[in-house]
Amino acid sequence: MNDSSPIKQQAATAKIQTKRPFSIVWIVPLVALVIGGWLAYKAISEKGPVITITFSTADGLEAGKTKIKYREVDIGQVETIALNNDVSKVVVTAKMIKGSERYLTDQTKFWVVRPRVSGSSVSGLSTMLSGAYIGIDGSDKGAPTLAFTGLEVPPVVTVGQPGRHFILKADMLGSLDVGAPLYYRQIQVGQVVSYNFDDSGKAVDIKIFIEAPHHAKVTETTRFWNASGVDVTLNAQGLKVDTQSMVSIVSGGIAFDNVPKDAPPGDEAKENETFLLYAGEDAIHEKKYSVRNYWILLFNESVRGLSVGAPVELYGIKIGEVVDLNLEFDLEKKKFQVPVIIAIEPERISSAKKEEALEAAKKDPRALIQELVEKQGLRAQLQSGNLLTGQLMINMTFVPDAPKTTLSSYAGYRVVPTVPGSFEKLQESLSKIITNLEKVQFDQIGTELHQVLKETKTTVAGIGDFTKQMNNETSPQLQSTLIELQKTLVEVQKGMGANSPLNYHTTKSLEELSMTLRSLRELTDTLNKQPQAILFGKEKKADE
Amino acid sequence: MNESAATARTLGLIACHDCRLLIEAIQVREHPHCPRCGAHLHPRKPNSLTRTWALVWAAIIFIIPANVLPMTITSTLGAKQADTIISGVIYFMQTGSWEIASVIFIASVFVPFCKLVILIFLLLSVQFRSRWRPKDRTTLYRLTELVGRWSMVDIYVVTILVALVKLGAIVSIEAGPAAVYFAAVVVTTMFAAESFDPRLIWDVIEEDV
C-alpha cells in the first residue's frame, strides 16, 4: 500500500506519545498496593499465637464461632475442634489476639463457661442465649506454653486476685466443695479453691484462698474448723445446733479464728502454709488443756448411757471427761465392777492463785485430791445427764456424811471413791415399789373379779327377760287403758264444760240453794227478833 | 475474515470514539478534538495496555482482601459470626441450598477471577504480538465486558440484607470490610475492560497483511 509509510510515520509519532515516563493510571494499582500492604501488615502484626486446649467434651463449643473471653472481652476465637489420637479428649485450636502471649503460661487456666447452678451461686446465665464461650484466667508467672488442658469447672479464684493461699489438712473432706465459703467471725472472707489427697493418701489437703486484706487475720495462732452444714450435737449437755450461714448449710464451709481469742496474734502466716482443719469449733477448745490428770472410778452399778467423752462435772461445770470404761470381773471376790477412767483438766478450774494451784495440780495432784476425799468427802457418782436420751455423766460431789475412806490405787490409777448416783437411788426406790407390787395376788383378784362379773352377767340377763315380758304383755294393755282413760277424760271435759247441762243444772241448783239459804236466814232473823212468831206467826207491821 | 478490507487506520483516518466521525489522521497532531462532537481523538485508545495493566494489578491486589476478610457479620442473639464469600458459599452448600450457593459462587468468585484471567491473557497476547485465534480472543473480550457489571450482584445482596435484617438484638447483619474491596475489584476490572482496546488484537494481523 502506498499510504502505509506515512501512516507508519503517524503511528510512530503516536508511539512517542505513549512513551510518557509515567502514566497517571498507575496510581490506581499503587493505591491498591498501599491498601493491600497496609491490610497485610495489619493482619500480620495483629496475628496472635495459636493455642490448643484439651477438654473432655466439646459441649457448646463451635469451630469458628466460640470466643475466648477474659473478663467478657474477646481475646481469641476457636478455629477448629478435633479429637485427639486416642479419641479420649477434644482438642480445641484457638487463635488468640496479639499480645496475649504474655498470659499464656503453664499457670493459665481455661474452662468452658456454661450456665451453672450450684448450691451457693448461679453463673453464666448470659451464655444460655449466646452460647458457651471459653473463659481464661491468664497468669504471667510460669513457663510460656501454647498447649493447655482445660478445666471442667471454672476456677474459684482468679490469678492475681490479692490474698493468700493456705493448705488445710483434714481426715475427711466432709461436705466441703470447691467454692465452699470461708468465714471469719461469720463474714465470708475466702473460698475453698481445690482439694486433693495428700502425698500419703491418708488425709485430704484442702487448698483455700483468703482475700486481701483478711489474709492478714491468719496467723500462727489461727485455728480452722469445719463449719459445714448444721452441727447438731446431742450429748449429756443437751441438744446443740450450730451453723454459720444458710450457704454453708447447703454447700459446707470453713470458719477460722484466733485461739484463744484474747491472746495476741502471732506472726502472719505465709503463702501455702499448712494448718489443721478441726472437726468443729469445740474440737479446738478441747485441745487447749495441756495438763490432764487421770483417775479411776469403780462402779458397782450399771453404767448404761455412759460413753467415752461423757463430761465429768463439778458443781455443774465440766472439769474433765470419761476416757475409758470397761467391765471387769474380780475372780477372788466373785464380783463384777466397772472401772471408769476419767481425765481431769485442772486448767479448767480457775483459782485465786492460779499459777500456784496449777503447779500443785501438775506436781502432786494426789495430795490435793486425798485431802478433798478424806476431809470433805469428795465422791464421784453417776448422774443422768439427759433424761430423754438416758445419757449418763460423772458428777463429782461432796458428801460430808459419807463413810470415811481414803485414796486407794487400782491398775496404776488412783481411785476416787464413788457413791450411788441419784439415778441409781431413784432406780432402787422404783424397784422397791415394784417388789411390793409383786406381792399383791393379782391372780386371785382376777379370778374373783371374773366370778363377780359372771354373776352380774346372769342378773343382767334376768333383767333383760323381765323387760322383754313387760314389753310383750303389759305394754299393749297399758296402752288400751290409757286410750280409754283419754276418752273418759274427753267426755268429762264435755260434760263439765261451760255450756254443758251439768254445769247449767249445777249453777241453777246453786242459785236455788242460795235463795233457800237466804229465806232460811230471814227466818232465823225473824225468829231471833220474835221468837213467838213460831207460834203466833209473823207480827204484822203498823204500816202493813 | 476479510483481511484485505480497508480499516480507518490503513486509510490514515481516525474514527471518533463517540460519534464515529472519520477524521484524517494528520489532523490529530494539531487538533486532537473531534470537530463534530468535541471528543478527544486517538487512533487507538491511548495507553491502552498500560492503563489496563495498572487496573488489572489493582484488581489483583484488591481481590485478596475481598476474599480473605469477612463479607457479612451476622449477629444472632449476641453471637457474632463473620462470613467470608467462600464461607458463605460453603454454608449454603452445607445447608442444601445449592442454587443460592452456585449463584453466589459464580457471581462473586468465578466471574471476577475469570475476568482477571481473561484480561491478563488478552494483555499478554497483545504484548507478545500473538496471532492466535484473534476472533476468539475478541469474543472473550466481549464476554468480559458484558459480564463485568453482574459481579456487583454480591454487593447488592449484602446491601439489601444489611438494610432488611435489622431486628435489633435478635438478629442483624452488618457489611464486612470485604464488601468495599470486592466493590473495588468489580470497579477496577470494569475500567480495565473498558480501557483495553480490542483493535490491538487485530493490529498485529493487519500489519502482517
Side-chain angles (χ1 to χ4, degrees):
Chain A
M1 286 189 193
N2 296 333
D3 291 343
S4 66
S5 64
I7 283 162
K8 266 179 187 168
Q9 267 185 336
Q10 189 65 39
T13 47
K15 270 174 196 164
I16 290 162
Q17 282 183 329
T18 62
K19 275 181 187 168
R20 273 186 290 185
F22 179 74
S23 170
I24 198 101
V25 82
W26 282 103
I27 288 176
V28 179
L30 214 65
V31 168
L33 201 64
V34 167
I35 293 171
W38 175 69
L39 280 174
Y41 168 76
K42 208 177 130 192
I44 291 163
S45 67
E46 281 182 0
K47 192 176 150 77
V50 176
I51 58 163
T52 56
I53 314 164
T54 312
F55 286 108
S56 64
T57 168
D59 180 24
L61 302 180
E62 257 184 280
K65 274 190 184 173
T66 306
K67 300 272 192 280
I68 295 175
K69 291 184 181 182
Y70 180 59
R71 293 178 194 268
E72 299 295 311
V73 177
D74 289 2
I75 60 160
Q77 189 171 1
V78 171
E79 293 286 300
T80 60
I81 297 171
L83 290 167
N84 69 350
N85 290 337
D86 61 350
V87 221
S88 61
K89 296 268 182 187
V90 176
V91 179
V92 173
T93 312
K95 207 187 257 177
M96 307 296 286
I97 59 159
K98 191 181 162 63
S100 55
E101 295 97 333
R102 279 198 305 137
Y103 300 101
L104 298 172
T105 66
D106 51 5
Q107 302 280 309
T108 303
K109 292 162 193 151
F110 290 90
W111 67 96
V112 181
V113 179
R114 304 187 181 100
R116 277 173 217 275
V117 180
S118 72
S120 54
S121 66
V122 177
S123 68
L125 279 187
S126 63
T127 59
M128 282 177 82
L129 291 180
S130 63
Y133 63 86
I134 296 177
I136 170 177
D137 184 13
S139 167
D140 51 0
K141 297 179 187 78
T145 177
L146 292 175
F148 302 92
T149 303
L151 304 175
E152 293 311 309
V153 286
V156 174
V157 179
T158 54
V159 175
Q161 197 172 339
R164 221 166 262 173
H165 291 86
F166 300 108
I167 292 161
L168 303 181
K169 279 201 179 290
D171 294 339
M172 277 178 287
L173 185 63
S175 61
L176 294 172
D177 198 357
V178 170
L182 218 90
Y183 297 97
Y184 177 67
R185 296 176 190 227
Q186 298 193 333
I187 294 170
Q188 192 183 339
V189 296
Q191 281 171 311
V192 171
V193 179
S194 65
Y195 52 83
N196 216 330
F197 288 115
D198 74 345
D199 296 335
S200 68
K202 282 177 185 167
V204 184
D205 278 354
I206 301 166
K207 197 166 187 186
I208 57 162
F209 178 79
I210 296 176
E211 295 154 22
H214 309 292
H215 64 77
K217 300 275 192 305
V218 180
T219 65
E220 284 166 345
T221 58
T222 299
R223 297 287 175 270
F224 291 85
W225 69 88
N226 198 326
S228 288
V230 188
D231 184 12
V232 182
T233 339
L234 183 67
N235 54 18
Q237 285 161 324
L239 182 74
K240 193 182 165 198
V241 182
D242 200 4
T243 181
Q244 290 285 326
S245 79
M246 283 308 287
V247 174
S248 72
I249 290 175
V250 177
S251 62
I254 295 174
F256 71 92
D257 208 336
N258 288 331
V259 177
K261 270 179 185 166
D262 47 355
D267 293 334
E268 263 184 44
K270 291 179 183 65
E271 174 87 10
N272 285 332
E273 199 159 307
T274 306
F275 288 89
L276 268 178
L277 179 65
Y278 292 88
E281 196 175 3
D282 294 338
I284 296 162
H285 299 297
E286 294 292 331
K287 298 260 160 90
K288 279 199 304 185
Y289 307 106
S290 55
V291 181
R292 289 189 125 196
N293 294 324
Y294 296 92
W295 302 87
I296 202 160
L297 314 171
L298 298 170
F299 288 104
N300 299 318
E301 55 187 300
S302 168
V303 293
R304 184 198 188 97
L306 189 72
S307 55
V308 171
V312 176
E313 289 187 354
L314 177 66
Y315 289 139
I317 287 166
K318 190 179 173 184
I319 57 163
E321 63 180 13
V322 173
V323 177
D324 189 31
L325 67 153
N326 55 346
L327 182 66
E328 274 184 11
F329 181 64
D330 192 332
L331 203 64
E332 287 167 22
K333 291 181 191 165
K334 300 276 183 294
K335 228 177 97 185
F336 288 100
Q337 64 179 3
V338 181
V340 175
I341 301 166
I342 58 167
I344 303 291
E345 288 151 342
E347 282 166 299
R348 286 179 181 271
I349 308 160
S350 57
S351 152
K353 291 177 179 172
K354 194 174 181 176
E355 295 304 314
E356 282 173 41
L358 262 180
E359 198 62 32
K362 233 187 240 179
K363 248 188 189 166
D364 189 13
R366 188 193 153 91
L368 199 74
I369 300 288
Q370 189 164 19
E371 206 179 314
L372 287 173
V373 168
E374 283 175 6
K375 297 213 173 124
Q376 295 186 37
L378 178 73
R379 296 289 183 273
Q381 66 173 178
L382 285 174
Q383 202 172 47
S384 172
N386 191 321
L387 274 176
L388 200 69
T389 59
Q391 298 261 13
L392 282 187
M393 58 172 205
I394 308 286
N395 187 32
M396 305 300 281
T397 180
F398 293 99
V399 188
D401 55 347
K404 291 281 177 221
T405 179
T406 182
L407 275 180
S408 57
S409 191
Y410 183 91
Y413 295 101
R414 279 160 298 239
V415 180
V416 174
T418 59
V419 289
S422 53
F423 193 66
E424 180 78 1
K425 279 181 188 162
L426 185 72
Q427 248 179 356
E428 262 172 36
S429 20
L430 270 176
S431 64
K432 262 181 204 164
I433 293 169
I434 287 163
T435 325
N436 287 339
L437 273 174
E438 269 168 6
K439 284 175 190 160
V440 178
Q441 288 170 319
F442 283 106
D443 279 8
Q444 209 180 330
I445 293 172
T447 324
E448 278 168 19
L449 200 68
H450 187 67
Q451 232 161 352
V452 170
L453 282 172
K454 238 182 195 170
E455 277 166 25
T456 314
K457 199 177 170 186
T458 45
T459 316
V460 168
I463 291 169
D465 285 350
F466 176 70
T467 316
K468 237 181 222 167
Q469 206 178 345
M470 282 274 282
N471 275 347
N472 292 344
E473 291 168 17
T474 324
S475 289
Q477 283 175 15
L478 196 68
Q479 204 175 2
S480 56
T481 312
L482 281 170
I483 289 165
E484 272 169 30
L485 187 67
Q486 199 177 12
K487 273 183 193 163
T488 314
L489 281 172
V490 169
E491 272 169 28
V492 167
Q493 203 178 9
K494 266 186 198 163
M496 294 178 69
N499 299 323
S500 62
L502 181 68
N503 197 12
Y504 174 75
H505 288 304
T506 314
T507 320
K508 207 82 173 156
S509 304
L510 283 171
E511 274 173 11
E512 274 173 22
L513 188 65
S514 112
M515 276 166 68
T516 312
L517 283 172
R518 203 190 295 152
S519 51
L520 206 63
R521 196 172 63 212
E522 275 175 19
L523 177 67
T524 45
D525 279 350
T526 313
L527 283 176
N528 267 344
K529 283 171 193 169
Q530 302 165 345
Q532 68 273 20
I534 197 159
L535 293 176
F536 303 107
K538 213 173 167 183
E539 197 181 335
K540 288 207 174 142
K541 282 185 179 172
D543 54 13
E544 274 180 9
Chain B
M1 180 192 278
N2 188 3
E3 286 176 358
S4 59
T7 63
R9 205 167 74 145
T10 54
L11 297 172
L13 298 171
I14 292 171
C16 170
H17 287 308
D18 295 342
C19 66
R20 304 291 168 195
L21 181 70
L22 283 169
I23 302 138
E24 275 188 67
I26 300 124
Q27 291 178 344
V28 174
R29 268 176 173 170
E30 291 117 37
H31 304 286
H33 293 283
C34 173
R36 193 166 71 180
C37 70
H40 282 279
L41 289 176
H42 324 89
R44 294 286 175 266
K45 284 179 186 168
N47 287 328
S48 173
L49 285 182
T50 316
R51 282 187 191 180
T52 314
W53 267 123
L55 292 166
V56 164
W57 277 116
I60 288 169
I61 293 163
F62 280 133
I63 208 165
I64 297 165
N67 281 283
V68 171
L69 294 177
M71 191 73 169
T72 53
I73 297 165
T74 319
S75 41
T76 317
L77 294 170
K80 280 199 173 179
Q81 190 190 353
D83 276 314
T84 62
I85 295 168
I86 284 292
S87 76
V89 170
I90 290 166
Y91 171 77
F92 280 116
M93 263 165 66
Q94 279 173 345
T95 51
S97 310
W98 287 91
E99 303 85 357
I100 300 172
S102 56
V103 165
I104 295 176
F105 181 75
I106 289 168
S108 307
V109 183
F110 183 72
V111 166
F113 273 102
C114 265
K115 243 163 74 176
L116 275 176
V117 170
I118 290 170
L119 279 172
I120 291 166
F121 169 67
L122 290 176
L123 284 166
L124 288 174
S125 70
V126 168
Q127 211 140 35
F128 290 104
R129 308 181 69 80
S130 166
R131 287 170 186 81
W132 181 76
R133 301 173 85 165
K135 200 176 175 183
D136 288 350
R137 281 189 278 152
T138 317
T139 314
L140 275 177
Y141 172 73
R142 270 205 297 273
L143 194 73
T144 324
E145 222 183 8
L146 182 79
V147 92
R149 68 207 72 171
W150 292 102
S151 296
M152 284 304 249
V153 163
D154 209 57
I155 300 295
Y156 292 143
V157 169
V158 171
T159 47
I160 288 166
L161 279 179
V162 167
L164 285 181
V165 187
K166 281 239 178 283
L167 299 177
I170 300 165
V171 63
S172 67
I173 296 177
E174 286 169 46
V180 176
Y181 298 108
F182 188 80
V185 170
V186 175
V187 169
T188 47
T189 48
M190 278 170 79
F191 275 117
E194 178 63 31
S195 59
F196 182 75
D197 198 332
R199 285 176 291 187
L200 294 171
I201 300 169
W202 296 98
D203 282 350
V204 184
I205 293 141
E206 207 172 274
E207 282 164 22
D208 289 351
V209 174

